[in-house]
Amino acid sequence: MNRPDNPPGEGGQLAFELGHTPSHAEADFMVGEGNRLAYAHIMAFPNWPGPLTLIAGPAKSGKSHLARIWADRAGAETPETEALEELSRAGGAAPLVIEDVDRRGYEEAALFHLLNQSMRDRRPLLMTAREPVANWPFATDDLKSRARLAAFLSVSTSDDIHLSQMFVKLFGDRQVAVDPKIIAYLVARMERSPEEAVLLAGLMDRLALERGTAITRSIAAEALAQRGAAHDDSQLELDLKRADLEGKTDE
């Protein structure tokens, strides 16, 4: 399908959004220093010391991939946000995955009851979140006190090797071959976060499609420049808001 919001550049062509599905297969998970302990914990199931596990880390750091691996191994279900209270009342020991605990608007009492039921009945429950428990947006300490009983594992993607492996997987998911020298060029110059790697891979793929070429170093440089400009705009907006707030405080 043509993308009308992405007009062709000079001498270019419209990019076709071919679509791709990121692989969450166990064999495609990349183990590095930033996720080795979390991966080992997932692989150790069912020999967990307790029923609750929390994996926390930034966006695109592999939390959902680990959760999918565990769900496949454990036969776990991922319930809808509104189903937690019913699940806690029904009881049972069927494994569950609760994704994005700090972002999906779970009802606090229902999540509290489910954690209690999990601990009481030894029901394996894997949670994922971007923030540690202390920063979760819940009003009372009861839920947080239960969540702190979970085995806590953090994941990150920051070292050069892991970021390089991440680019290989991202481009592989898109069925795009990229010269390793271009990946090294990106890793040396990018903002060091997994979310930025995802955005850069998508942007370079689109730029290459628009130009009808392979992903080259010049396309990588252009993508880095565009992302740098986007970061500068975001920082400028934050600075203006901060200056406005300071001005109102001084009045």
Side-chain angles (χ1 to χ4, degrees):
M1 177 184 296
N2 288 342
R3 292 187 53 163
D5 56 328
N6 291 316
E10 184 177 349
Q13 64 184 28
L14 281 173
F16 286 83
E17 192 65 29
L18 301 178
H20 69 286
T21 301
S23 173
H24 284 132
E26 182 176 327
D28 291 327
F29 186 79
M30 298 171 296
V31 181
E33 289 304 314
N35 61 26
R36 193 177 304 280
L37 290 177
Y39 178 77
H41 182 77
I42 293 298
M43 293 298 105
F45 183 81
N47 299 314
W48 283 1
L52 300 180
T53 292
L54 169 61
I55 298 178
K60 310 300 183 183
S61 58
K63 302 185 300 296
S64 291
H65 196 160
L66 282 169
R68 183 70 61 82
I69 291 170
W70 182 74
D72 289 344
R73 292 172 66 90
E77 295 184 3
T78 304
E80 299 295 330
T81 55
E82 63 273 11
L84 301 195
E85 185 68 39
E86 181 181 349
L87 282 168
S88 69
R89 294 186 181 188
L96 297 174
V97 174
I98 308 296
E99 286 258 48
D100 297 321
V101 174
D102 55 338
R103 295 174 59 83
R104 287 187 59 188
Y106 291 100
E107 203 280 318
E108 185 167 348
L111 185 56
F112 173 74
H113 292 154
L114 185 61
L115 294 187
N116 276 342
Q117 188 269 316
S118 172
M119 291 186 293
R120 183 181 66 246
D121 297 340
R122 304 287 298 177
R123 175 183 222 155
L125 194 156
L126 172 64
M127 299 174 285
T128 68
R130 291 191 187 182
E131 297 290 337
V133 175
N135 297 336
W136 287 6
F138 297 110
T140 69
D141 289 332
D142 288 341
L143 172 59
K144 293 180 180 180
S145 69
R146 297 298 186 277
R148 288 190 180 97
L149 298 175
F152 177 78
L153 301 135
S154 62
V155 292
S156 64
T157 306
S158 58
D159 61 274
D160 288 359
I161 294 175
H162 201 177
L163 281 172
S164 298
Q165 292 173 333
M166 187 173 183
F167 273 117
V168 171
K169 181 181 184 303
L170 288 168
F171 288 124
D173 287 340
R174 294 172 176 271
Q175 298 184 339
V176 175
V178 178
D179 190 322
K181 292 181 181 178
I182 295 175
I183 292 177
Y185 176 85
L186 288 166
V187 169
R189 292 162 176 81
M190 64 180 285
E191 177 189 306
R192 308 188 69 75
S193 76
E195 191 169 22
E196 187 66 15
V198 172
L199 291 170
L200 278 168
L203 178 55
M204 285 186 288
D205 190 24
R206 180 173 62 80
L207 290 172
L209 285 169
E210 289 175 351
R211 289 158 176 72
T213 69
I215 291 177
T216 62
R217 179 164 169 160
S218 63
I219 284 177
E222 183 176 348
L224 286 167
Q226 288 191 26
R227 292 298 305 151
H231 289 307
D232 291 343
D233 289 345
S234 297
Q235 186 60 51
L236 176 59
E237 184 177 351
L238 288 174
D239 291 343
L240 290 173
K241 287 181 179 179
R242 187 178 299 113
D244 184 51
L245 289 172
E246 291 174 352
K248 289 180 179 178
T249 303
D250 293 338
E251 291 178 356

